[in-house]
Amino acid sequence: MADSEPGSARSDLERDFGKHGEIVLPGDAQPPILTAPVRAALHQWLFEMNAEKELQAVGLKPRSRCLLSGPPGCGKTTLAHHITARLGVPMLVIQSHEIVGKYLGESGSRIGQLFRQARRDRYGVALFFDEFDALAKKREALGSQGADNERANITIALLQEFDRFDGLLFAATNVTKEIDPAIWRRFQMQIEIGLPGASERYAIVKMYLAPFEVADDAVTAIAEALDGAAPSLIKEGCEAIKRSMVLGPKMGLPIDLPSIMDRFANSASASEGMPEPALWSSRRSVLANLAQVEWLA
Ligand SMILES: Nc1ncnc2c1ncn2[C@@H]1O[C@H](COP(=O)(O)OP(=O)(O)OP(=O)(O)O)[C@@H](O)[C@H]1O
Ligand SMILES: [Mg+2]
């Protein structure tokens, strides 16, 4: 399904959905590394999606709507893509703020068009609304005129469409407190993906250092240095290490672990509003700790 030849799944999907967002296909998904409770919740969900008949017997349907929340770079998009890939369906990534139109009435009709197309779609495309708070703001916080009135209408349109849509639907947000409660309730699952703990950090470091094989102690020390970092920043750190290993000697740069991590800390940082990970908040002691580990065989 990955090609973009005319008549292929990708070109059909792009023709039908291109104006609403970006299509991502199952073959491009990566599994995220998640905490045990989140993994357990997802395992249960995937299991029930494959047990439609048993559930039907007691008058239930598999859950199909999931709200993902948590800080930036912790894997909300990655996770939704992974789940839809496990189910073998493409996913449409919709930037919520792009749906909010400039003209009154425009957003409601865009939402209507999008869901009509999704209900007709033969590939069973899953919908993923990114930055969902831009779309489903609490109505009580809105006024009654102009743009606020338009936003309230968007919420009403969404409520109606959610109730009529049988397919998989995800939304992601960093600010759960802004989501309208009636919309919130339409999601049968609300899963929070927070910063990784020590064991997840270790697994993330190991995964992103591949194909380099690094001693366990060094993986642990790098994971500790990045305590407090989102997986996206951990990934950047691991890529910085790999770049240094490949290019450092050619550029005359030292490739001992403290030097590499010091250079990384000078060229990257956690995003605004996030806590400072150990490498930045206690750089000196973290680098001293990294100097203690056997790094290169
Ligand atoms: N839990 C994770 N395990 C492994 N890799 C991850 C994880 N979370 C994020 N990443 C990596 O970090 C990058 C950004 O992740 P992603 O876009 O899924 O984050 P997000 O939570 O959707 O962020 P945002 O709120 O900014 O949209 C991806 O390239 C992904 O590979
Ligand atoms: Mg995202």
Side-chain angles (χ1 to χ4, degrees):
M1 208 198 260
D3 61 350
S4 52
E5 300 286 307
S8 70
R10 183 186 280 280
S11 69
D12 285 358
L13 287 162
E14 277 169 0
R15 184 196 58 223
D16 293 344
F17 291 103
K19 69 171 171 182
H20 298 297
E22 186 202 353
I23 289 286
V24 294
L25 295 177
D28 303 324
Q30 297 280 337
I33 289 173
L34 302 164
T35 57
V38 174
R39 275 202 316 273
L42 296 172
H43 179 73
Q44 193 184 332
W45 189 24
L46 283 167
F47 196 89
E48 79 184 46
M49 283 197 269
N50 289 311
E52 212 169 333
K53 281 223 172 82
E54 283 101 316
L55 290 177
Q56 239 169 32
V58 292
L60 291 179
K61 283 184 186 170
R63 292 168 293 178
S64 61
R65 291 188 290 273
C66 177
L67 179 67
L68 298 167
S69 64
C74 288
K76 297 181 292 298
T77 306
T78 308
L79 172 60
H81 190 189
H82 171 66
I83 292 177
T84 55
R86 289 279 300 267
L87 298 167
V89 294
M91 179 171 98
L92 177 69
V93 180
I94 302 145
Q95 298 307 329
S96 300
H97 61 90
E98 286 179 10
I99 291 200
V100 184
K102 288 196 199 86
Y103 306 105
L104 278 183
E106 192 177 306
S107 323
S109 76
R110 279 192 200 175
I111 291 168
Q113 257 181 29
L114 164 64
F115 276 92
R116 255 195 313 283
Q117 189 66 51
R119 284 197 299 272
R120 275 202 300 263
D121 167 64
R122 67 191 161 109
Y123 298 105
V125 73
L127 302 181
F128 177 88
F129 288 92
D130 212 355
E131 298 168 37
F132 191 55
D133 43 285
L135 208 52
K137 267 212 169 28
K138 266 185 188 153
R139 279 165 291 175
E140 66 191 40
L142 300 173
S144 59
Q145 289 180 344
D148 274 359
N149 192 28
E150 175 79 348
R151 283 179 171 280
N153 288 337
I154 292 176
T155 307
I156 293 165
L158 280 175
L159 286 172
Q160 289 167 349
E161 296 296 352
F162 275 27
D163 286 341
R164 285 159 52 188
F165 185 60
D166 274 342
L168 267 185
L169 195 152
F170 292 89
T173 181
N174 303 324
V175 269
T176 46
K177 63 180 191 312
E178 295 198 356
I179 305 287
D180 185 84
I183 296 263
W184 178 278
R185 192 174 71 69
R186 293 315 194 269
F187 291 95
Q188 302 127 326
M189 272 165 295
Q190 292 90 7
I191 297 181
E192 188 179 349
I193 308 181
L195 291 173
S199 64
E200 293 81 40
R201 247 187 344 263
Y202 178 94
I204 293 170
V205 169
K206 211 168 163 71
M207 175 167 90
Y208 287 125
L209 282 181
F212 286 87
E213 284 193 25
V214 175
D216 280 354
D217 282 356
V219 176
T220 304
I222 296 167
E224 273 175 23
L226 295 168
D227 184 2
S232 56
L233 188 58
I234 301 178
K235 181 182 183 183
E236 276 179 37
C238 294
E239 289 177 351
I241 293 173
K242 293 196 286 191
R243 254 194 312 276
S244 277
M245 297 302 291
V246 177
L247 301 179
K250 291 185 185 164
M251 297 172 71
L253 294 171
I255 55 163
D256 59 288
L257 204 42
S259 301
I260 294 177
M261 294 306 273
D262 193 33
R263 288 199 296 274
F264 171 59
N266 289 337
S267 62
S269 59
S271 55
E272 184 63 29
M274 298 283 282
E276 264 204 326
L279 177 62
W280 288 266
S281 63
S282 13
R283 189 169 329 181
R284 200 182 278 251
S285 67
V286 164
L287 295 182
N289 189 34
L290 289 169
Q292 301 301 313
V293 295
E294 278 296 322
W295 161 233
L296 297 172

